[in-house]
Amino acid sequence: SQTIHQWPATLVQPVGSPLSLECTVEGTSNPNLYWYRQAAGRGLQLLFYSVGIGQISSEVPQNLSASRPQDRQFILSSKKLLLSDSGFYLCAWIIKGLSGELFFGEGSRLTVL
Amino acid sequence: RKEVEQDPGPFNVPEGATVAFNCTYSNSASQSFFWYRQDCRKEPKLLMSVYSSGNEDGRFTAQLNRASQYISLLIRDSKLSDSATYLCVVNSRGGGTYKYIFGTGTRLKVLA
């Protein structure tokens, strides 16, 4: 069966520090991958999506970047965090070509101080 | 205008009540529709897909009105365990993939 892992689950970072969040999918190949952010009390905002290795589309210009170095690995990064980067970051995947259920990881909760 | 709009609530209802949530979307080319449930500080999980003919899953009924660009979720006989945030999700094709756009969610609290 397919599973999705995200880490770290929780982190507290100072303003100006770098960030790296990782997401790995198991049990499937060539998935479409997504990064969402949910700020406190807000909805899910689509940040990036990827249809294949090295292919990244950005939905919202901001202080973050994404990379897909391997088929089932999706990384969210920042060189210098801002206070406004705080939130709940969720990685999700779906089988390519389908429009059914989007499967989420357990999320990474980031607090920038 | 937001792509997907929901009343944020909260909806506070007694156990056993029937409650309905609505959602509107702006992209008429949207192709598929869902309701997700999100518990506090957890990831969203699929509650049900929404089909044009309407569909039911136990106490939950979802409806889609493409002409009005409107989706609804009805929960009958509410249970304490139904307390959560319900997210309306609209899916449209773009950039070589399907983009899932989430509403901000409607918070439901079922009271004993």
Side-chain angles (χ1 to χ4, degrees):
Chain A
S1 65
Q2 301 95 348
T3 56
I4 179 169
H5 301 285
Q6 271 189 254
W7 68 94
T10 307
L11 63 167
V12 180
Q13 296 283 106
V15 168
S17 64
L19 172 74
S20 181
L21 301 178
E22 280 203 45
C23 170
T24 301
V25 181
E26 294 177 0
T28 189
S29 59
N30 200 21
N32 287 342
L33 296 170
Y34 304 79
W35 276 112
Y36 285 86
R37 175 173 63 200
Q38 188 173 36
R42 310 276 300 272
L44 272 74
Q45 180 186 32
L46 179 60
L47 302 176
F48 301 95
Y49 64 90
S50 171
V51 300
I53 295 173
Q55 299 179 64
I56 308 295
S57 296
S58 173
E59 283 296 295
V60 183
Q62 56 205 311
N63 186 39
L64 301 168
S65 62
S67 62
R68 186 169 175 176
Q70 299 180 44
D71 179 44
R72 290 171 291 172
Q73 185 184 27
F74 205 19
I75 297 171
L76 185 70
S77 304
S78 173
K79 290 183 180 174
K80 283 188 180 182
L81 285 168
L82 306 171
L83 286 174
S84 57
D85 291 324
S86 294
F88 190 38
Y89 288 82
L90 291 152
C91 180
W93 75 274
I94 191 168
I95 296 172
K96 191 176 298 299
L98 298 185
S99 60
E101 181 177 359
L102 190 63
F103 297 93
F104 284 91
E106 293 182 341
S108 297
R109 195 165 299 278
L110 169 67
T111 303
V112 182
L113 301 175
Chain B
R1 184 185 170 188
K2 287 184 186 173
E3 288 191 69
V4 180
E5 294 205 63
Q6 293 181 252
D7 180 345
F11 284 57
N12 296 323
V13 302
E15 265 187 297
T18 295
V19 61
F21 304 140
N22 301 321
C23 168
T24 57
Y25 61 95
S26 60
N27 184 355
S28 59
S30 297
Q31 298 183 350
S32 49
F33 310 87
F34 308 88
W35 283 101
Y36 275 69
R37 171 189 167 131
Q38 187 175 24
D39 292 300
C40 189
R41 300 179 74 81
K42 296 285 190 180
E43 75 275 21
K45 293 188 178 172
L46 180 68
L47 177 67
M48 58 197 303
S49 301
V50 187
Y51 304 119
S52 296
S53 54
N55 50 300
E56 190 174 308
D57 182 2
R59 298 181 292 108
F60 299 85
T61 301
Q63 298 274 356
L64 167 65
N65 184 323
R66 283 190 185 269
S68 301
Q69 295 180 204
Y70 167 98
I71 305 157
S72 66
L73 176 68
L74 184 78
I75 305 175
R76 290 181 299 278
D77 189 23
S78 300
K79 311 289 184 194
L80 292 175
S81 56
D82 293 334
S83 297
T85 297
Y86 291 84
L87 304 168
C88 174
V89 186
V90 172
N91 189 356
S92 55
R93 185 92 183 162
T97 187
Y98 289 99
K99 287 198 256 185
Y100 291 74
I101 306 299
F102 285 71
T104 52
T106 298
R107 210 165 134 224
L108 171 66
K109 204 167 184 180
V110 181
L111 307 170

